[in-house]
Structures are given as C-alpha cells and as structure tokens.
Amino acid sequence: MIPSGLARPTAQEAAPLVHVLCERVAQASGSRVLAIKGPVVAMQGLRAPRVSADVDVLVHPDDLDRFVAAMTAAGWHGAVETTAPRLVRAHSVNLLHDHWPVGIDVHHHFPGFLAADGDVFDALWERRARIELAGVPVSTADPVSQVAIVGLHLLREDAAGEGARVADLVERAGQVLSPSDLDELLDLAVRTDSVVPLRPVLVRLGLERAATIDATHPAELATWFDRAGARPGTVWGRQLSQTAWWRWPQVLWHSVRLTDAEIATYHGGGATRRELARARRRRLRKGLGLVPGILRGYLTGRHGHPSR
Amino acid sequence: MDPIVLDDHRAPAPVWRRSPALAAIEAPSRVVLLHLDHIDVPARILEDTSAVIWHAIDGLRDSAAIVSAVADRFGIDEDIIRDQVARFLDDLRAAELVEALASIPEAA
C-alpha cells in the first residue's frame, strides 16, 4: 500500500543529487572537483533555471584518474567513445549510470582557457565557493569564475558573441557581479589566458581593457578560433586534408559507418542490424548537407586557418 | 534489528529523526533521498503516502505522533494506518535513512 521503491529520479531531481554525489566521491578520493555550469549557475543568478541532460564538474588534471576510478567504483561507467576525429583535444570524460537520468561531464580541460590546465584549475579553485544543493554544501566555481566558464562555453560556437544566450549572460552578469567582481573577472581571464576568447563578453561588461590584451598561448588560441569557426563536417574535411588521397575512401567510409556502438548511442540507431542500417542511411543523407563544412575543413587543413 | 512495537508501554517511545547523512530533494508528495554513506545505492524515491510520512519525521515525533499526523493529513482513523506506518519506519531504519532515538536530542 505504501508506494516507495527504486524508480529513477527525474533529471531535475537528479542534477543536484549527482553534484552532491560527485562532491562526496571527491572528498573520499582526495580529488579536487568543482561543480560548474548547470543548476549551480542558475542558483547564482547567471542563467534561467532549466533541466539539463548532464551535470558538469571540473577536476584538477592530476586528480582525474583517481576521481574517475572512484566514480567507477560507485557504479558509473564511461560513455561510448567516439571514433570520429576531433578538432580539439579531448577535454572531458562522460560518465553514465543506469539509475541516474543525467550523465556527468568530468572536464579536465575547459576550451578557451588557454593556460595550462593545472594552472587554470588552481586559479578557479582559489576562488571556489560553497553552495547548498539538496541540503548539502558542494564546492563550486564562484560567480566570477562561472561567468568565464559559461562565457567560454557559449562562445565556443558563437565566437563573436552575437547570440541571445551570450546577451543573456552579459545582462545577468552585469546584475550579479559588483564592480570589484568585474575587475577580478578580468584578472582571472588574464591569469588563465582567456581574455581573447572571452573578449566579446568582457568588453560588453565594460572591461574595455580586454580589447588591448593579447593571448600568451598563440597555438592554443589558433585552435580555439579554428574550432569556433568550424561547421558540421569540418572535422572530416580536416581529416581528409591530413590523409593520403588513396586512403580517402577508407576515411569517407568510416565517416558514414562509424562503430555500431556510436551509431546506436549518438545517431539514433537501435539494437538490431536493420535499425543500425536505417540510422546509417539517415546519417548518409544528412552527410550530403555537410559538404560545405567538409570542404572548409579540407581547405583550412591544407592552407591554414581562415582569417579572423 | 528489532521491529518497533507501537503499543509497548514498558519503555519510552523512540523519537524518529532523519539520518544526518542524507541529500534530499523534497516536494509535498515526492521525496528523493541519497544516502551519502552509500552512494553506490540508488536514490530512494518516496511518493504520496510515504512522502507524507517522511515529512512527519521531524526529530520530535515518536511513532504514535507520526501516525497521528498522517491520519490527520488524510482524515482517517489512526488504527487503519498504524501497522503500515510502523512497517514503513522499520523499512526506512533498515535503509539507514532514519534513526530511532531514545529521547529528543537537546539540539532539537
């Protein structure tokens, strides 16, 4: 008569609990972990509340293996790895659990912070705050750090910062951050070498000095703009540009085919051969629309990065 | 673990309190609980009647007072739910989600 049991939480319920779970695992394993983005940012007033499909944490790169091992011991497992080439190096480990309806993106690098990952984490860790989720205090990036993190996340696909989400972040940050917070934001951006990637946000927040500060990691900056200017398909064009022409059929075949696990997990395939074949046909039809992106990737791969 | 006997007059009735090692998402008719010492155990979800009982566990009430609060909430006779509430409290105690204390702690 008393209904109770082991049904799954909703994503909205799960997000704060999974952050708490990460905090607990971090403490038990001696890992430095910060909650970033997601419900924490909404609580800090930097975005409207919404339900996410995953939660994000940033872990010190030296603690990554230890933290992931401890999460694995708690029943979490890695998501299916993609075999597609990447424009940027892997920056997170995606963890899943059958019981929890949200995954965890465990970031050990956050694109746009051009300084060394350990130095970036140290800068964010020094500023960390505690916020209560599901009645439990959790270590999180403070509002100043979150503006940088969320800003970089949004600018990754909107480098000029012209979209509505960047405008919303700027408006909210202008309300949440004090003048001294804004100065600290610029200091943090300098320390983590993220001024240039973050420039559209910083300048709009009145930090005009950001327009005159250059990056100190030019190779990483080039990669940032390379990724920010990419279109769907660009990565495969880049792969072709780095492959001998007689191996192109193999690359193109793999770009359509991928692995069964990838097709099933990320491209709407199912468990049967027929469902996988149908998903691959859909992917092929969609792939024809990616030709401009593939060409761009090929040309920039052969002739260098486009002007910015 | 001995079951709680509600009509036992030989000893003071225990007071029920929630485990301090919990993360909880609480709404009036649904509660999701994660035990921080057992994070490999799936979150426990309490709905409807169980959620109402959960809300009555405040660190001050004994079993009889919890039965009374729940009966009041639903406008039914205490005798109808007494055994079920007792079983449910035992179930929560077995899962270490609540504790039965001999008396109300001073901090409460």
Side-chain angles (χ1 to χ4, degrees):
Chain A
M1 155 138 182
I2 292 171
S4 63
L6 300 178
R8 289 187 358 147
T10 64
Q12 188 172 6
E13 293 163 342
L17 290 171
V18 169
H19 270 305
V20 170
L21 191 152
C22 287
E23 173 82 8
R24 196 67 169 185
V25 169
Q27 287 172 351
S29 63
S31 309
R32 290 158 287 180
V33 175
L34 290 171
I36 59 171
K37 299 170 56 189
V40 175
V41 172
M43 291 172 76
Q44 291 168 328
L46 293 167
R47 79 160 208 208
R50 65 168 180 268
V51 179
S52 303
D54 52 30
V55 304
D56 296 84
V57 297
L58 183 68
V59 59
H60 192 289
D62 292 348
D63 300 344
L64 176 67
D65 291 344
R66 185 167 52 230
F67 179 69
V68 170
M71 291 298 293
T72 303
W76 291 75
H77 60 84
V80 170
E81 287 201 28
T82 177
T83 58
R86 296 172 182 275
L87 287 174
V88 293
R89 64 188 169 98
H91 53 85
S92 65
V93 176
N94 187 229
L95 298 177
L96 301 172
H97 192 294
D98 292 342
H99 174 67
W100 295 99
V102 296
I104 306 171
D105 272 344
V106 183
H107 299 260
H108 47 90
H109 162 72
F110 205 88
F113 289 123
L114 308 180
D117 295 341
D119 295 340
V120 170
F121 188 92
D122 289 343
L124 300 174
W125 183 253
E126 284 173 20
R127 303 188 54 86
R128 70 188 179 280
R130 301 280 278 174
I131 199 162
E132 202 166 278
L133 294 171
V136 179
V138 170
S139 296
T140 175
D142 79 320
V144 167
S145 304
Q146 296 278 25
V147 170
I149 291 165
V150 176
L152 290 172
H153 173 68
L154 297 176
L155 293 166
R156 202 184 305 174
E157 302 198 343
D158 174 21
E162 292 164 342
R165 294 177 70 188
V166 172
D168 181 63
L169 173 67
V170 169
E171 185 182 338
R172 290 171 184 271
Q175 293 164 359
V176 169
L177 302 186
S178 67
S180 65
D181 288 337
L182 288 173
D183 289 339
E184 290 179 28
L185 174 60
L186 184 58
D187 291 344
L188 178 70
V190 169
R191 184 171 167 190
T192 56
D193 197 14
S194 56
V195 174
V196 177
L198 264 179
R199 191 174 280 159
V201 167
L202 299 176
V203 170
R204 278 200 235 172
L205 283 169
L207 298 166
E208 304 292 345
R209 198 158 66 83
T212 63
I213 298 173
D214 289 327
T216 55
H217 296 75
E220 286 77 5
L221 183 64
T223 302
W224 164 263
F225 279 113
D226 195 23
R227 172 67 183 85
R231 293 163 153 187
T234 296
V235 68
W236 290 104
R238 183 69 47 79
Q239 180 77 353
L240 288 175
S241 74
Q242 294 161 0
T243 304
W245 65 266
W246 63 84
R247 296 189 64 195
W248 284 17
Q250 189 182 338
V251 171
L252 289 169
W253 174 247
H254 182 64
S255 73
V256 174
R257 187 165 173 74
L258 299 179
T259 64
D260 287 353
E262 281 174 286
I263 294 292
T265 307
Y266 302 117
H267 300 284
T272 67
R273 300 222 69 76
R274 178 176 290 187
E275 287 168 331
L276 289 170
R278 196 179 302 137
R280 284 193 167 102
R281 281 197 298 276
R282 272 201 310 270
R283 185 174 155 73
L284 178 60
R285 281 196 296 274
K286 211 167 136 191
L288 296 176
L290 304 184
V291 169
I294 294 172
L295 277 175
R296 177 191 166 91
Y298 177 76
L299 292 172
T300 56
R302 289 291 296 263
H303 305 299
H305 306 300
S307 59
R308 2 179 209 283
Chain B
M1 191 173 292
D2 297 330
I4 298 299
V5 181
L6 296 183
D7 293 331
D8 185 352
H9 297 294
R10 290 167 297 181
V15 169
W16 292 93
R17 78 165 182 188
R18 302 167 184 186
S19 164
L22 287 183
I25 303 290
E26 301 193 46
S29 60
R30 183 174 162 98
V31 177
V32 186
L33 302 170
L34 176 67
H35 199 298
L36 300 179
D37 293 336
H38 305 293
I39 54 171
D40 53 338
V41 174
R44 178 76 176 258
I45 296 176
L46 311 178
E47 292 181 298
D48 304 323
T49 316
S50 357
V52 171
I53 298 172
W54 177 262
H55 290 304
I57 301 169
D58 59 2
L60 301 172
R61 291 185 170 106
D62 61 12
S63 299
I66 290 170
V67 168
S68 177
V70 174
D72 256 11
R73 167 72 174 71
F74 289 107
I76 54 177
D77 194 288
E78 293 180 15
D79 290 340
I80 296 173
I81 60 168
R82 191 182 314 276
D83 289 348
Q84 290 170 8
V85 170
R87 279 198 300 274
F88 182 61
L89 290 172
D90 279 338
D91 181 32
L92 292 178
R93 187 169 63 148
E96 299 180 28
L97 297 171
V98 298
E99 299 168 340
L101 304 178
S103 60
I104 299 171
E106 281 186 22

